[in-house]
């Protein structure tokens, strides 16, 4: 069952003390020449776009090729992830599947709760107030603006992540991929498709 929150934040939260300390440390390390200019940003970019989402992509590919695994994933996401050595004991991941007639999308209306262990660093837009507020109020409009145009007959379900529960969208397997290996299928899965702002 999808959850939505009435909380609507209009301004980005100021940086936390930890974020301020991290920024100061990064500036100091760069100033002293201990890390090259742009190095930390590049590490973040690689983790956000490449390394991080690979965990989730493996999970999705396994669900596509193994119907029993998909059932376990949808029944108990955290346990199914643990089967593949992904996630931790504190993670409570709930997987929701796109299927004919249904498209799922994830948001965190209160802050930016996100399944880091599965799909890496959250994209900047995920943490911003406009995404958090509009995805609940007008998901179809916002998805279209983000390049994800959905047929009118699709039911859009918005799932509100929290510190207690994080959601993972299981995209539909693309047509014409029957001959691909599990590894090749994992290569088709994107971070945005596991948030639900893109379709494969």
């Amino acid at each position: 069952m999808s959850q939505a929150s009435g909380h609507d934040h209009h301004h980005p939260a100021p940086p936390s003390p930890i974020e301020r300390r991290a920024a100061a440390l990064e500036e100091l390390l760069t100033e002293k020449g201990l890390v090259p200019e742009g190095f930390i940003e590049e590490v973040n970019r690689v983790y956000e776009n490449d390394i991080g989402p690979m965990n989730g992509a493996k999970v999705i590919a396994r669900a596509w090729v193994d119907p029993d695994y998909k059932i376990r994933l949808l029944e108990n996401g955290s346990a199914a992830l643990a089967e593949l050595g992904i996630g931790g004991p504190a993670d409570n991941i709930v997987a929701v599947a796109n299927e004919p007639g249904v498209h799922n999308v994830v948001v965190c209306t209160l802050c930016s709760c996100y399944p880091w262990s599965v799909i890496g660093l959250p994209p900047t837009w995920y943490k911003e107030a406009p995404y958090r507020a509009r995805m609940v109020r007008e998901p179809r409009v916002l998805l279209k603006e983000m390049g994800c145009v959905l047929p009118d007959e699709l039911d859009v379900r918005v799932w509100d992540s929290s510190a207690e529960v994080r959601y993972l969208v299981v995209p539909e397997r693309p047509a014409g991929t029957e001959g691909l290996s599990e590894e090749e299928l994992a290569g088709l899965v994107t971070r945005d498709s596991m948030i639900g702002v893109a379709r494969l």
Side-chain angles (χ1 to χ4, degrees):
M1 181 167 167
S2 61
Q3 303 173 0
S5 168
H7 296 5
D8 186 0
H9 303 285
H10 298 288
H11 304 286
S16 70
I18 292 172
E19 290 170 325
R20 288 194 301 273
R21 281 195 301 267
L25 180 60
E26 179 181 343
E27 186 178 328
L28 181 64
L29 290 171
T30 304
E31 242 176 56
K32 300 237 179 236
L34 297 173
V35 295
E37 185 79 33
F39 174 78
I40 294 173
E41 290 81 4
E42 179 61 13
V43 169
N44 281 339
R45 187 199 65 73
V46 168
Y47 192 81
E48 182 178 303
N49 297 308
D50 302 324
I51 297 169
M54 286 172 40
N55 284 336
K58 290 176 189 173
V59 171
I60 302 305
R62 177 65 56 88
W64 285 345
V65 301
D66 183 344
D68 291 334
Y69 179 79
K70 183 175 181 180
I71 290 169
R72 294 194 303 277
L73 178 64
L74 297 176
E75 287 177 350
N76 186 334
S78 299
L81 291 170
E83 290 179 36
L84 301 182
I86 297 169
D91 288 338
N92 183 13
I93 307 289
V94 172
V96 291
N98 286 350
E99 52 195 37
V102 175
H103 180 83
N104 297 285
V105 63
V106 180
V107 67
C108 178
T109 56
L110 294 178
C111 52
S112 57
C113 292
Y114 183 85
W116 292 59
S117 61
V118 185
I119 51 180
L121 301 175
T124 303
W125 51 260
Y126 184 87
K127 300 180 276 185
E128 293 175 347
Y131 176 81
R132 295 183 353 238
R134 291 185 65 209
M135 190 53 77
V136 172
R137 286 197 319 263
E138 50 182 8
R140 193 177 293 276
V141 173
L142 182 55
L143 286 169
K144 183 176 182 180
E145 289 174 16
M146 297 178 80
C148 182
V149 181
L150 301 174
D152 291 340
E153 64 271 14
L154 274 186
D155 177 27
V156 180
R157 296 180 184 167
V158 178
W159 300 87
D160 194 349
S161 281
S162 68
E164 290 77 35
V165 179
R166 315 278 165 99
Y167 292 93
L168 171 69
V169 174
V170 180
E172 287 187 271
R173 182 173 176 167
T177 60
E178 295 74 16
L180 297 184
S181 68
E182 190 171 331
E183 185 177 348
E184 290 169 326
L185 288 169
L188 302 177
V189 182
T190 65
R191 176 201 65 199
D192 287 1
S193 71
M194 293 182 282
I195 298 172
V197 298
R199 289 174 70 81
L200 300 177

